[in-house]
Amino acid sequence: MKKPKISFCTYTCNDAQYAADLLRRTREWTVRPDEYVVVDDGSGQAFFMEDAPDNLTVIRISPNRGITFAKRTGLSAASGDVIFSMDCDTRVAPDWLELNLKYLGDPEIGLVGGALEYRSGDDLVSRYLAKFGDNHNLHEVGPVDFIPGNAFLLRRETWINVGGFGEYLETNCQDHVLSNRIADAGLTLFSDARARAWQLRRISRTTMCKRVWKWCHRTVKEQMLPGDRAIPYLFEATAKPMLDRFEDAITAREPLFLYLELLYLAHTVLDLIGYAEGRGLMPRTSEQGFKAGLAELFRGFPAIGARFRDDLAELGHAVPLEPAGPLGPWEDFFLFAPMLRDGGLMEWLDSDGLGLLVQEDRETEYDFSSYATASFDMPI
């Protein structure tokens, strides 16, 4: 059987060091690509590496068009029989390609991946994401419903036959779109957990909030309920999942995870309130009651309250966290607050917890992420 030509595609935007390091690491793989494609999506300085592979093509896009456009460009430019796509901040075990390549010999299999986990360090956000975040298909060897876009393999003819991402233009979740289009074409998505991949990028807590919310905000907004049902809906969509994770965080002896949860809760609810008020689904005064609930939660804990306020400001929300009047219809939403106050968490955050956050910010070097300035408004 003729050995297929393998094209390798990766994508960079102001993080050339990740892409260059990835290309160098391919020299250690047990199967090496025949062609390399790097898409430079509007980096401030064009991608260049002195020790680049001889068979490297660099495609520069200017101005920046986002990762979906970059991936569409790179995958469409690849000339190989098989295309291996990787995000530049992902790394794979040396035998990843060798393990997965054989599955594409089955014409019924259209998309192949492996286990993906978050493994970027011991900082707070990295530990949190390793526990609750970017981890997929860790144990599956067989058909799955989804292949993450961090590292995947497919035949070029499959990419062409399904029309790639179609007309999809959003800058996230293109891996869901591709997985669905390939499954709808009657082909199997296959994952082998023995093929290990991991993400390296270190991001700040505010960038994490923006990134996770950008992944799922559209679905939550599209299902938003109006009037008296709005606040109960927001509780089910945001606070209830948070409370479920609280128990896991306590069991894992990670009390700072609860700070991240509160920050993400405030960011998502404030964004949802703005969306709902703009569409007449909630009264224009709704934000006042929610901010009053936050002020009550942090009452008596000025140090951590100030840090929380500053983090929210970085996320684009002005919340003074001072006495702001009655909670009104938000009282039931904040029934978890006494548990945090009476259980000693807020007191701990105001002293030891804040010290750990300050140390974290001083000692951790965060990597560039386009999510840090992400915008995800939905048109009114």
Side-chain angles (χ1 to χ4, degrees):
M1 181 178 176
K2 180 183 175 182
K3 178 184 178 294
K5 177 182 178 180
I6 302 170
S7 295
F8 175 74
C9 296
T10 193
Y11 323 91
T12 179
C13 174
N14 293 323
D15 49 10
Q17 73 280 7
Y18 270 127
D21 178 71
L22 175 57
L23 291 178
R24 295 185 187 105
R25 287 175 181 264
T26 65
R27 300 166 186 163
E28 304 167 3
W29 292 357
T30 57
V31 172
R32 298 198 30 200
D34 302 292
E35 174 187 55
Y36 298 83
V37 177
V38 171
V39 180
D40 180 352
D41 185 22
S43 297
Q45 183 173 349
F47 175 81
F48 173 78
M49 60 182 293
E50 291 185 356
D51 56 340
D54 293 336
N55 46 352
L56 170 66
T57 298
V58 177
I59 302 173
R60 178 161 172 83
I61 299 170
S62 184
N64 174 276
R65 298 286 298 274
I67 187 60
T68 300
F69 187 89
K71 286 191 174 183
R72 178 184 284 113
T73 300
L75 293 167
S76 298
S79 63
D81 306 298
V82 170
I83 305 174
F84 182 16
S85 174
M86 275 185 64
D87 292 348
C88 72
D89 61 353
T90 299
R91 298 293 179 267
V92 296
D95 62 350
W96 194 101
L97 186 53
E98 181 181 5
L99 282 169
N100 279 330
L101 191 59
K102 61 180 181 290
Y103 295 118
L104 289 184
D106 183 346
E108 298 300 316
I109 293 178
L111 188 63
V112 180
L116 174 71
E117 58 186 332
Y118 203 93
R119 195 196 301 174
S120 61
D122 195 43
D123 59 285
L124 174 62
V125 171
S126 295
R127 299 197 312 272
Y128 179 88
L129 290 174
K131 177 71 175 176
F132 296 120
D134 303 354
N135 306 287
H136 300 280
N137 301 334
L138 297 182
H139 308 290
E140 290 77 3
V141 180
V144 293
D145 296 327
F146 170 68
I147 298 292
N150 309 76
F152 63 83
L153 193 66
L154 81 169
R155 290 181 295 273
R156 182 169 175 267
E157 66 177 5
T158 300
W159 169 258
I160 294 172
N161 291 342
V162 303
F165 302 129
E167 300 301 316
Y168 188 76
L169 299 174
E170 298 291 327
T171 56
N172 60 304
C173 296
Q174 70 285 141
D175 46 3
H176 289 272
V177 171
L178 184 61
S179 292
N180 291 338
R181 290 175 72 88
I182 290 177
D184 290 345
L187 297 173
T188 298
L189 313 181
F190 194 95
S191 185
D192 189 336
R194 294 169 296 186
R196 312 298 296 184
W198 56 94
Q199 294 188 73
L200 295 178
R201 193 181 302 272
R202 296 176 305 277
I203 59 175
S204 70
R205 55 186 175 270
T206 53
T207 298
M208 183 201 76
C209 288
K210 290 182 178 182
R211 186 174 82 163
V212 175
W213 186 229
K214 187 171 183 178
W215 287 341
C216 57
H217 78 103
R218 181 173 294 274
T219 299
V220 180
K221 289 174 179 175
E222 288 174 346
Q223 297 176 3
M224 184 78 192
L225 297 177
D228 293 342
R229 296 180 293 171
I231 295 178
Y233 170 77
L234 292 180
F235 181 86
E236 290 293 323
T238 63
K240 189 174 180 179
M242 177 191 74
L243 295 174
D244 291 340
R245 291 189 295 268
F246 270 10
E247 184 176 350
D248 291 336
I250 293 169
T251 301
R253 298 184 178 180
E254 289 278 16
L256 273 182
F257 283 5
L258 278 62
Y259 179 86
L260 294 181
E261 293 287 358
L262 291 172
L263 185 63
Y264 182 68
L265 174 78
H267 174 55
T268 57
V269 173
L270 286 168
D271 183 59
L272 286 165
I273 291 173
Y275 171 83
E277 288 182 349
R279 286 151 183 78
L281 303 176
M282 298 182 74
R284 290 285 179 179
T285 57
S286 298
E287 186 176 284
Q288 298 173 12
F290 180 73
K291 288 182 176 180
L294 290 176
E296 176 61 22
L297 174 62
F298 284 89
R299 178 177 54 82
F301 306 106
I304 194 62
R307 177 51 55 100
F308 192 79
R309 179 197 60 215
D310 292 345
D311 282 348
L312 282 179
E314 189 171 333
L315 287 165
H317 309 293
V319 180
L321 294 182
E322 298 169 355
L327 275 65
W330 290 95
E331 285 190 5
D332 287 347
F333 186 98
F334 282 95
L335 285 177
F336 63 85
M339 173 187 71
L340 301 184
R341 293 176 61 88
D342 299 343
L345 173 70
M346 301 305 296
E347 183 177 0
W348 179 85
L349 285 175
D350 204 50
S351 54
D352 293 352
L354 178 61
L356 291 172
L357 286 175
V358 171
Q359 181 181 359
E360 179 101 5
D361 291 340
R362 183 173 61 246
E363 297 180 355
T364 304
E365 182 177 350
Y366 300 114
D367 298 318
F368 170 80
S369 173
S370 58
Y371 286 101
T373 57
S375 175
F376 42 82
D377 295 332
M378 292 178 66
I380 297 177

